[in-house]
Structures are given as structure tokens and as C-alpha cells.
Amino acid sequence: MDKADEEHSMPGTLCYHVSVAVEEKSAAAYAKKIFMDKIEIRTKDGTCPSYIYRPAGSGPWPAIVVFMDGLGIRPAMLEIGERLAAHGYYVLLPDLYYRSGPYEPMDPHVVFTDPEKRKILMEKFLGLATPVNIMSDTRVFLDYLAAQHDVKPGGIGTTGYCMGGLMSLTAAGTYPDDIVATASYHGGRLATDAPDSPHLLAPKMKSRVYVAGAIEDHGFPDDMKERLEEALTKADVDHRIETYQAKHGWVFRDTPVYDAAAAERHWQTMFALFDATLKH
């Protein structure tokens, strides 16, 4: 076992990783190198393939957990980790669909138009990626980060997209002593009548929260935004909720609704949130 393996051989992880240098490929085109480690994290339900992105150098860096969208791990999703690392963060991006078994990268253009593919997504994948399951995993993710020598201590950030936006907000209320900055982009079901709706956790949140919704989004309509706003305000949570003039799913370049201007705005608001809360 080499030195890199030893550093990743700790409770909650398997001794498997692949470390590669990655040139940052985002729109900002940073002239920096980052590194990616692919690891497997043990949870109570199995092993979760996960991606670690970190800047070149010794750190320590503030850490961010990225909760993926409903289309799973694919190049456009992994680019989120790349760009965050290029901006100076240690990023953990887990594959939240590990309970469903291995899968090929999903094509958003096919999933959105093929009823059979959409049915498989809903039943095989989303059916197991419940808030209860993902919050159980999140405890393990947080413990993993806390054990890394190149992670800056003192609180982490989370961001999420679509279903991951719900998970990011839920994590803020589930682990308030760990999470100090929370972002949610085109998240759905953030304030519903369900007993596990994230807005009900507002009284427990200590994090600074930023939520960006889309126009004409049935998963996060105006009345839901108002309910979330009321809950966060009543709980005295430092927060901001905005509606982008873009369609649900606008961040990812591989979706039919990708909006370059709105995607860049997402980066600027997220950097502002994390830089203010994690880089001090």
C-alpha cells in the first residue's frame, strides 16, 4: 500500500482510489491544476462510489459536499466538482444512486423524452434515494471529511441540484453543527405537506442558506417559495431565495434547458456564499 492509499484507508472508506490530475475545463478556464480521487465510502447500506476533487498543493481547504441531481453521475455533474476545486475547495461528490447498482451515464435528452427510461429513473433510482437514506449517508460523508488532514476544520458547505437541492437543504437542518453554508439550485419539494419536507427543519438550521428556483417550475412553485421563505424567516435563518429566469435544470450543459447565463450566475452566487462563510 503506497502513501496515498494509507491516507485514504480509514473508517468509512475502502482502500481503493484513482488519483489523476485534472485541468479545469469550466467556462472560467482557470489556469490551475486540480486532482481527482475516486474512492468508495462504506455506509450501512453498501459502498458509495464517490469523487474527491481538491486543488494542487497541501491545503488544508474548506470542504463542500455536492449532492447530485436526479440524472446521476456523468461528465456534466463531475464538472461541478472540478470548478469548485479550482476555486479553492475540497469537494466530495458521492453517487447517491449506489443502492440501485452500477449504471451507465444517463442522457438527459433521452430520459426526458422516453417514458420507459423515465419510469426506470423514478422506480429504480429515485425510489431508493430518499431523504432518510441520503441523510444516513451524509453522516458518513461528514465523518469522512472530518478525518481528512487536508480539509480545513470548522464547518463545511453543501450544494445540490434538483433532488440534490432538497438533500442539501435537508442536510442543513439534520446536521446543523457541521454545515455552515447551504446552497440549493433548481431544487424541488422544498416546502411541502410531507413530514420530511426540509422547510420543517428550519428551526434547527444554523447555516447560511441560498436557494435559487426556476420559472414555471412545478417542483418549486411560487406558493412553495413563499412557504419556505416564511419558515426560514420565522426561524431567523440567514437566507436568500431567488427565482432565475431559466427553466428547471438550467445549470447542466448536457440538458435541453441549459442556460449559460443563468449557469454562470449560479457559480457567482455559490462562490459568494461559500467564500464568505468558509474562507475566513
Side-chain angles (χ1 to χ4, degrees):
M1 183 180 292
D2 62 21
K3 185 176 186 294
D5 286 327
E6 290 174 357
E7 291 175 352
H8 289 83
S9 178
M10 57 187 61
T13 66
L14 298 179
C15 301
Y16 160 75
H17 79 284
V18 177
S19 182
V20 297
V22 181
E23 290 288 351
E24 210 284 325
K25 300 181 178 65
S26 69
Y30 293 106
K32 295 181 179 180
K33 279 198 172 182
I34 62 173
F35 291 90
M36 185 274 283
D37 290 345
K38 187 175 181 182
I39 64 171
E40 292 183 337
I41 298 179
R42 289 195 188 97
T43 73
K44 69 179 183 62
D45 293 330
T47 56
C48 177
S50 302
Y51 298 81
I52 299 294
Y53 290 92
R54 57 185 174 83
S58 59
W61 302 280
I64 296 170
V65 175
V66 177
F67 293 99
M68 69 188 201
D69 70 351
L71 292 166
I73 299 297
R74 60 198 192 282
M77 186 73 246
L78 296 178
E79 287 170 9
I80 301 295
E82 293 178 12
R83 186 160 176 181
L84 280 169
H87 196 72
Y89 292 100
Y90 185 109
V91 182
L92 171 60
L93 201 170
D95 186 345
L96 304 179
Y97 284 160
Y98 72 92
R99 291 177 177 84
S100 301
Y103 60 94
E104 294 297 321
M106 300 182 196
D107 182 343
H109 295 266
V110 174
V111 172
F112 290 150
T113 58
D114 186 329
E116 186 59 31
K117 295 286 187 183
R118 192 173 183 85
K119 181 181 179 182
I120 293 172
L121 173 63
M122 298 299 293
E123 295 179 358
K124 180 179 179 180
F125 294 97
L126 289 171
L128 295 178
T130 63
V132 169
N133 283 343
I134 303 308
M135 288 308 103
S136 173
D137 296 341
T138 300
R139 178 68 269 163
V140 182
F141 302 153
L142 295 172
D143 291 343
Y144 172 86
L145 290 172
Q148 304 308 304
H149 68 86
D150 46 359
V151 168
K152 179 183 175 182
I156 71 159
T158 66
T159 188
Y161 305 85
C162 188
M163 76 163 189
L166 178 149
M167 301 304 175
S168 182
L169 198 59
T170 301
T174 305
Y175 302 108
D177 293 331
D178 299 277
I179 298 169
V180 299
T182 302
S184 171
Y185 292 93
H186 45 78
R189 300 180 291 116
L190 303 184
T192 69
D193 293 329
D196 61 355
S197 177
H199 82 287
L200 298 176
L201 296 170
K204 298 181 179 180
M205 295 179 187
K206 301 177 183 178
S207 178
R208 182 181 296 184
V209 173
Y210 179 84
V211 175
I215 58 173
E216 301 177 6
D217 189 344
H218 70 275
F220 191 46
D222 289 344
D223 62 335
M224 196 177 296
K225 292 170 189 171
E226 293 171 3
R227 179 185 278 189
L228 180 60
E229 174 69 43
E230 180 181 2
L232 294 174
T233 300
K234 185 176 180 180
D236 200 27
V237 175
D238 183 356
H239 72 282
R240 185 175 183 181
I241 302 174
E242 295 187 316
T243 300
Y244 288 24
Q245 297 300 303
K247 296 182 179 180
H248 178 86
W250 77 79
V251 169
F252 298 104
R253 62 172 176 77
D254 62 349
T255 69
V257 296
Y258 170 67
D259 186 306
E264 188 58 29
R265 181 182 173 192
H266 133 269
W267 282 112
Q268 298 312 314
T269 55
M270 186 163 59
F271 287 155
L273 170 69
F274 290 150
D275 288 356
T277 51
L278 300 176
K279 288 187 175 181
H280 56 75

